Amino acid sequence: MDNTSQILERSAELFAGKRLLLVNPPADGLTGELPADWHVWTWDYSVQQGLSSRLDQQHLSFSHLCPQVDGLDAAILVMPKAIERAEYALAQMAPLLKSGCPLYLVGEKKGGVTRAEKLLAPYGSAIEKLDSARHCQLWRSIAHDQIAAFQLADWQRSIRLEFPDQAVDLISLPGVFSHGRLDEGSQLLLEEMAPLPSGKVLDFGCGAGVLATVLARRNPGARFELVDIDALALYCATQTLSQNEVQAQVYPSNGLSDVHGRFAAVVSNPPFHTGIRHDTSIAEQFFNEVTRNLLPGGELRIVANGFLKYPPLIEAHIGKCRVLRENNRFKVYSAVAPG
Ligand SMILES: C[S@@+](CC[C@H](N)C(=O)[O-])C[C@H]1O[C@@H](n2cnc3c(N)ncnc32)[C@H](O)[C@@H]1O
């Protein structure tokens, strides 16, 4: 089990037999090992897939919004990577708790849980650290009454992006890449005006949907499908498309797990860079698998940090890799599958 689940299990007496909301857990066996009436909210499709054999639909929710579970005894947030995602989740969890019920925060010390006091302060009092083990901490606060109801509109941001040929209204939520601005890599990819082939085009790791929105308008013969692992990204992409009057299909996928059929093109600012400079294993797996989703003559067009050694991997799996654009940080690559 994950370290965060182990520290929760060490305090099993706080949770056993209770009606609990568990938010952003890893896909491990905690809900099976610790007997309670678990209601899980995840925005990570891989966790949804991992837990769906243990929890039915009433107890497992994959969404950008927290399920409205009543009669809760307590709620637990597993600290997300992005602090603003923690704030977004807590703002939805706290109003579900009656005054006096505990709200817990658990997470790795290096993952920001040390900010627990600040994060929990708006929603409760008597904030205390209950345990510290396995590089993790478990914090508790006791819910106040009269916590303001959650309003999605307070968290949603809309920005207008101006391109030489069009303006796009981009909708985003906390922790959705790249919240409230256009990423420099995505911008470089969109500076490339070479047309995309007509037919189905996949926007892999769509985030708030900026690539598909701009490219769909430029390429009227393209029918876009957008996938992402993050429920908040999928919601934002759907909103961005509709704000900009672009028709496309949006659905969750972990990598290419739920992508079926072959595409005339796949475009992406892919998520493979973990910060470990030389780790290209996730990228390689993607270049290998995407060949199954490209039509003969289909194009893969991606942007990546220039230092990442993608061209030999792209050539090994797809075909000759051309640099369409570059600046001092990013490169836009294009490769065409054998015809
Ligand atoms: C670098 S961002 C690009 C977002 C958007 N296309 C843009 O250009 O602004 C990569 C995206 O990939 C998503 N992602 C990460 N891992 C994924 C996976 N295993 N399967 C699908 N999408 C994933 C992230 O949620 C994120 O939205």
Side-chain angles (χ1 to χ4, degrees), residues 177 186 203-207 210-211 228-230 233 253-255 269-271:
F177 185 91
S186 306
D203 177 350
F204 174 74
C206 61
V210 67
L211 299 183
D228 204 286
I229 199 167
D230 176 15
S253 185
N254 175 15
N269 178 350

Side-chain angles (χ1 to χ4, degrees), residues 228-239:
D228 204 286
I229 199 167
D230 176 15
L232 275 71
L234 295 167
Y235 167 78
C236 292
T238 307
Q239 296 299 311

Side-chain angles (χ1 to χ4, degrees), residues 101-295:
C101 287
L103 174 59
Y104 298 95
L105 183 65
V106 62
E108 302 258 351
K109 275 189 239 166
K110 62 177 191 311
V113 73
T114 46
R115 299 205 216 172
E117 279 180 283
K118 211 165 161 207
L119 285 166
L120 293 171
Y123 306 110
S125 51
I127 299 169
E128 62 176 318
K129 183 165 57 175
L130 299 182
D131 197 4
S132 179
R134 310 203 198 292
H135 313 290
C136 291
Q137 293 179 351
L138 173 62
W139 288 79
R140 177 177 63 192
S141 77
I142 302 300
H144 285 149
D145 48 5
Q146 293 179 341
I147 292 165
F150 175 81
Q151 303 287 347
L152 185 62
D154 296 344
W155 296 82
Q156 195 165 295
R157 209 182 283 173
S158 172
I159 53 158
R160 173 153 280 220
L161 301 174
E162 301 283 351
F163 297 94
D165 59 329
Q166 60 182 289
V168 163
D169 292 317
L170 191 73
I171 310 298
S172 78
L173 280 172
V176 172
F177 185 91
S178 44
H179 190 36
R181 63 181 186 90
L182 177 63
D183 173 67
E184 211 189 314
S186 306
Q187 178 169 356
L188 189 67
L189 192 149
L190 291 172
E191 280 171 19
E192 177 54 49
M193 291 290 184
L196 289 167
S198 293
K200 284 204 307 172
V201 178
L202 180 69
D203 177 350
F204 174 74
C206 61
V210 67
L211 299 183
T213 302
V214 173
L215 293 172
R217 283 166 154 189
R218 275 185 201 158
N219 296 274
R223 296 187 313 280
F224 269 85
E225 294 185 18
L226 293 77
V227 296
D228 204 286
I229 199 167
D230 176 15
L232 275 71
L234 295 167
Y235 167 78
C236 292
T238 307
Q239 296 299 311
T240 298
L241 289 164
S242 104
Q243 281 283 319
N244 297 284
E245 297 179 348
V246 174
Q247 305 280 339
Q249 233 181 297
V250 183
Y251 53 92
S253 185
N254 175 15
L256 295 164
S257 67
D258 288 46
V259 175
H260 302 295
R262 290 186 182 265
F263 292 76
V266 176
V267 295
S268 189
N269 178 350
F272 315 131
H273 182 42
T274 57
I276 303 165
R277 220 175 152 84
H278 298 293
D279 183 5
T280 49
S281 56
I282 305 174
E284 177 151 29
Q285 190 188 342
F286 174 78
F287 297 138
N288 180 22
E289 288 177 3
V290 79
T291 55
R292 279 179 241 147
N293 295 106
L294 278 172
L295 284 167

